[in-house]
Amino acid sequence: MNQELASYQEPYFLTLHAGERLLPGMDAFLRTELCHLPEASAGCLFSPTTPDEGGRERFQPPRGPLIWRTDAVMAPPSPGFTETALLPFESYILLDKQYQLNAAFTWTSTRNCPLVPAVSSPLPWQKKREEWELLRPLLAAPIQVEPGTDASHKVPLVTVLLCTYNDADYIPWAVRSVMAQTLPDWELLIIDDGSTDHTEHILDSLYPDHRIRTYRLKRNSGKAHALNSGLSMAKGSWLLELDADDWLSPDCLEQLYSKASLHRQAGVIYADHVQWEERKNKQLIYQGVRTAIHPFSTARVIKAGIPIAPRMFNTAKLGSLSGWNTDSPFGGRLYEDIEILARMSGSAEFLYVDRALYHRRIRLHSITHRHADHYSEWLSWMNAGDNGTAPEI
């Protein structure tokens, strides 16, 4: 669509979904709508109703705009429609642009358009209602860019630490979720652990926001090394880990910090997460909410081998333990997230927030999946107490 719009000269355009049918009278409908379209309007929304086989209205996410004002869509700072890397849920591309334009434009609305909606039945594994309810807050959240000013010297409440290695295509969506946070007092540290893909180009094209800092390590040293590099630069009193292929709910930092502000001596604040399975075509399938173990139990976490996400650390307490262990089996490249929680639990209080605040993407080719057979070896090392922690399992 962006290619077509780059050379498009007409003041308006129409978007249709596959399977929709135009009825006689569309020309007259469009002439009437365009004649009455206010100057401040970005276009016209169409909200069809689609009954199911029993005659009841079946859930469908909003369709998105039907008529668009070209100059509104192509206006800076985000001309055109969002690219796939920034929006991994391509079916919401029209709604994403609609929400972008809400701040500067109004919309007209109609239900009486001579158009027959596409009729499709969701497959058994598709949970459209749950998917939409989880994604709508992030799509609708305003992106507030803070350029470098005198306020840039303000100490952040939370450092979000994102370490990445050859995950360039996932980074923009993760960063967007940080930009959409309802708590604005954050900094985002991105540590590029010697990537050989186009990560450098992606990092150079991120939002021009003083709260985002990026660093590139000369060679790939592993997740624990990269995390420790970020820890040494973190300014926030709390530090939240964010994997490059995951993302945060818009209220994640606000909810976690609210708990932390009441318990400043706590070591870790954690919560539940939403799980998504990534298919070979990169399509994401909603898998439900995963409830974190609470009260926190090192033995149960290690036995299950399930990471806690989100996890927000007391930065000072994390530093007192010298951060993540790089002397573990595999050099801190595997299971470093579970190991640091085990060590933290020996001297710090863990507090739980009963909400799903993090979105975790399960990839077939992630490093954890590729090396799942190494867990037993790592577990033997943990039980031997070589890291100072020997949980009884």
Side-chain angles (χ1 to χ4, degrees):
M1 287 196 291
N2 289 339
Q3 269 190 329
E4 292 295 327
L5 288 172
S7 57
Y8 187 72
Q9 300 296 318
E10 300 300 326
Y12 303 98
F13 64 92
L14 186 77
T15 50
L16 298 175
H17 292 266
E20 292 181 334
R21 291 189 296 111
L22 300 181
L23 297 175
M26 176 58 82
D27 287 346
F29 169 80
L30 291 176
R31 283 195 292 270
T32 300
E33 287 295 324
L34 294 179
C35 284
H36 295 90
L37 198 66
E39 188 65 29
S41 175
C44 179
L45 306 178
F46 177 44
S47 304
T49 58
T50 307
D52 63 15
E53 293 180 358
R56 297 169 298 176
E57 187 173 330
R58 184 181 64 203
F59 174 78
Q60 288 284 348
R63 180 199 179 280
L66 173 71
I67 302 170
W68 302 79
R69 188 186 298 274
T70 307
D71 59 2
V73 173
M74 299 305 290
S78 302
F81 293 92
T82 302
E83 300 290 344
T84 304
L86 273 171
L87 186 65
F89 296 87
E90 193 174 36
S91 60
Y92 299 122
I93 188 172
L94 301 184
L95 290 163
D96 176 65
K97 191 63 184 183
Q98 175 189 330
Y99 284 128
Q100 284 183 30
L101 295 176
N102 282 350
F105 296 90
T106 61
W107 297 91
T108 59
S109 182
T110 183
R111 285 180 177 268
N112 300 314
C113 175
L115 184 152
V116 178
V119 178
S120 61
S121 298
L123 298 172
W125 46 264
Q126 291 179 316
K127 296 180 172 60
K128 286 296 183 182
R129 183 185 298 275
E130 292 87 346
E131 180 181 283
W132 172 244
E133 289 175 352
L134 289 165
L135 294 175
R136 182 190 58 78
L138 183 52
L139 293 176
I143 302 299
Q144 302 290 345
V145 177
E146 293 189 9
T149 63
D150 292 339
S152 63
H153 299 294
K154 184 178 180 181
V155 177
L157 299 176
V158 180
T159 295
V160 178
L161 180 54
L162 187 158
C163 297
T164 182
Y165 175 64
N166 289 348
D167 278 330
D169 291 339
Y170 296 101
I171 295 172
W173 182 244
V175 172
R176 174 171 169 168
S177 77
V178 178
M179 297 294 299
Q181 289 301 298
T182 54
L183 178 78
D185 301 321
W186 48 263
E187 69 166 349
L188 172 61
L189 291 182
I190 304 178
I191 310 297
D192 177 10
D193 189 18
S195 295
T196 57
D197 63 356
H198 57 290
T199 292
E200 185 174 3
H201 170 72
I202 293 294
L203 297 184
D204 288 342
S205 63
L206 293 177
Y207 301 93
D209 194 302
H210 72 86
R211 296 170 295 179
I212 301 176
R213 293 187 283 152
T214 63
Y215 298 89
R216 178 174 173 82
L217 304 183
K218 291 183 179 180
R219 63 184 181 85
N220 177 251
S221 300
K223 186 72 172 287
H225 282 274
L227 288 167
N228 286 334
S229 295
L231 175 60
S232 69
M233 295 181 277
K235 297 177 181 178
S237 56
W238 294 88
L239 183 148
L240 177 88
E241 269 192 81
L242 173 61
D243 285 350
D245 51 358
D246 296 339
W247 67 94
L248 308 178
S249 297
D251 61 341
C252 179
L253 297 185
E254 181 180 7
Q255 292 291 332
L256 295 178
Y257 185 78
S258 178
K259 188 82 166 183
S261 65
L262 300 175
H263 305 273
R264 297 187 182 278
Q265 294 307 309
V268 177
I269 314 295
Y270 68 105
D272 303 333
H273 67 264
V274 180
Q275 189 155 298
W276 302 85
E277 177 187 335
E278 182 183 86
R279 294 189 159 190
K280 289 182 179 180
N281 62 358
K282 298 296 182 73
Q283 183 181 20
L284 291 175
I285 308 301
Y286 171 71
Q287 298 290 303
V289 173
R290 299 297 184 261
T291 303
I293 292 171
H294 65 280
F296 184 84
S297 164
T298 300
R300 289 179 63 196
V301 169
I302 292 177
K303 184 176 182 179
I306 299 174
I308 297 293
R311 49 190 180 274
M312 188 174 78
F313 298 94
N314 183 313
T315 307
K317 292 183 182 295
L318 185 60
S320 70
L321 295 178
S322 300
W324 287 264
N325 193 338
T326 58
D327 294 325
S328 63
F330 322 114
R333 294 176 183 271
L334 295 172
Y335 320 120
E336 81 294 330
D337 49 352
I338 299 177
E339 193 275 340
I340 188 60
L341 292 173
R343 271 193 295 129
M344 286 285 288
S345 67
S347 59
E349 182 182 12
F350 282 50
L351 297 176
Y352 167 70
V353 176
D354 185 15
R355 294 191 60 174
L357 300 173
Y358 189 97
H359 295 260
R360 183 165 176 257
R361 186 191 311 241
I362 306 300
R363 297 161 57 193
L364 290 175
H365 301 295
S366 68
I367 187 170
T368 302
H369 271 74
R370 293 200 310 268
H371 301 288
D373 56 329
H374 292 340
Y375 192 71
S376 59
E377 180 181 344
W378 179 86
L379 187 58
S380 296
W381 172 78
M382 284 291 290
N383 286 335
D386 293 341
N387 66 331
T389 303
E392 295 180 3
I393 301 179

